[in-house]
Amino acid sequence: MAHTLPELTYAYDALEPHIDEQTMKLHHDIHHNGYVVGLNNAEDKIAEARESGDYSLIKHWERESSFHGAGHLLHSIFWTNMGPDGGGKPGGALEEAMNSDFGGFDKFKAQFTAASNQVEGSGWGILAYRPSDSKLVILQAEKHQNLSQWDVVPLLVLDVWEHAYYLKYQNKRPAYTDAFFSVINWKNIEERYNNAK
Ligand code: MN3
C-alpha cells in the first residue's frame, strides 16, 4: 500500500506561539507531503526494476527511497511528539531511564539541545531506545538520507566493506554477496522479525 501523509491530531495553530500556524502548514502539507510522494515514486521504480530485472538505476532509487523514506518516517514521529498540552517533564519509566542514562532530565535536555543545535545538513536530534543494552541514547542524524530509514529495526545485515571479503574474493564483491546466501541463518532472522513485530 502506498504511503500517505498522516493527519495532524491537532490544528495547525495549536502549537502557537511556539510554532506558528504558517510554518506548520508549509512543513506538514508541502515539505512532509513531498517526502511521501518521493518515497512512493522511489518504491514504484524499485518495484518496476524487480519486474524487469533492470537494476541499472537501483543506486539512484535506493538513495531516493532513503532520503524520502527517512524524511517521511521522521516527520511522522515528529508531529506526534508535539501537542498543544505539551511541555514539562516526563514521568514514570522514561523519567527513571533518563535519570540512570543521563543523570536526570536537565542533563538530558542540555545534551539533546546541544546535539540538535550543532547537527549539520538535513539533520535531526534524536532520542532513541537502543535495544541491545536497553538504554536511551541521543543521536545526531546528519543527512537523514544516509541509507537509513529511521524507525526501522534491522533484520538481516551484510557487511560489504572490503575487509569483510577482500582476502577471499578480492574485487569480486558479487561473488561474496552470492556466497553470503549460503550462510544465512534464517532462524535468526525469523526470530528478529517476530520480535520486531
Ligand atoms: Mn522537516
Side-chain angles (χ1 to χ4, degrees):
M1 205 183 80
H3 302 277
T4 56
L5 182 66
E7 300 263 340
L8 294 179
T9 56
Y10 43 82
Y12 292 109
D13 64 356
L15 304 180
E16 295 263 14
H18 310 289
I19 300 181
D20 63 280
E21 179 178 7
Q22 191 183 15
T23 296
M24 287 298 291
K25 274 187 176 157
L26 288 169
H27 199 176
H28 179 269
D29 294 5
I30 307 296
H31 288 271
H32 188 169
N33 194 55
Y35 287 123
V36 173
V37 171
L39 177 60
N40 284 329
N41 183 48
E43 293 193 345
D44 284 349
K45 292 292 194 288
I46 290 168
E48 284 172 29
R50 274 197 303 274
E51 279 303 307
S52 68
D54 176 3
Y55 288 106
S56 56
L57 291 176
I58 192 64
K59 189 162 79 175
H60 170 73
W61 291 117
E62 290 286 1
R63 279 180 172 155
E64 285 288 292
S65 127
S66 295
F67 177 69
H68 294 291
H72 170 48
L73 297 168
L74 285 167
H75 283 89
S76 298
I77 298 167
F78 179 55
W79 308 129
T80 64
N81 286 162
M82 301 185 290
D85 303 316
K89 298 177 180 185
L94 181 58
E95 182 185 18
E96 285 168 26
M98 283 187 175
N99 288 341
S100 63
D101 296 342
F102 300 123
F105 175 79
D106 291 341
K107 286 199 167 76
F108 154 75
K109 187 179 176 186
Q111 185 188 338
F112 186 85
T113 305
S116 301
N117 288 343
Q118 294 174 42
V119 71
E120 294 172 357
S122 50
W124 298 73
I126 295 172
L127 171 68
Y129 176 70
R130 187 170 59 199
S132 58
D133 59 358
S134 308
K135 278 195 188 306
L136 296 172
V137 287
I138 292 166
L139 305 174
Q140 284 181 325
E142 186 178 298
K143 290 187 124 190
H144 71 210
Q145 72 269 37
N146 276 357
L147 301 181
S148 58
Q149 291 186 350
W150 292 89
D151 198 31
V152 302
V153 178
L155 296 177
L156 171 67
V157 298
L158 170 58
D159 187 348
V160 292
W161 209 353
E162 287 174 351
H163 64 242
Y165 65 88
Y166 213 82
L167 287 179
K168 180 170 175 61
Y169 293 99
Q170 293 87 49
N171 59 328
K172 300 179 190 70
R173 189 187 294 175
Y176 161 70
T177 54
D178 190 48
F180 173 67
F181 273 79
S182 300
V183 296
I184 296 174
N185 176 8
W186 287 109
K187 278 263 173 293
N188 167 263
I189 293 112
E190 288 169 22
E191 204 175 303
R192 292 184 59 81
Y193 175 66
N194 291 332
N195 289 340
K197 271 210 306 188

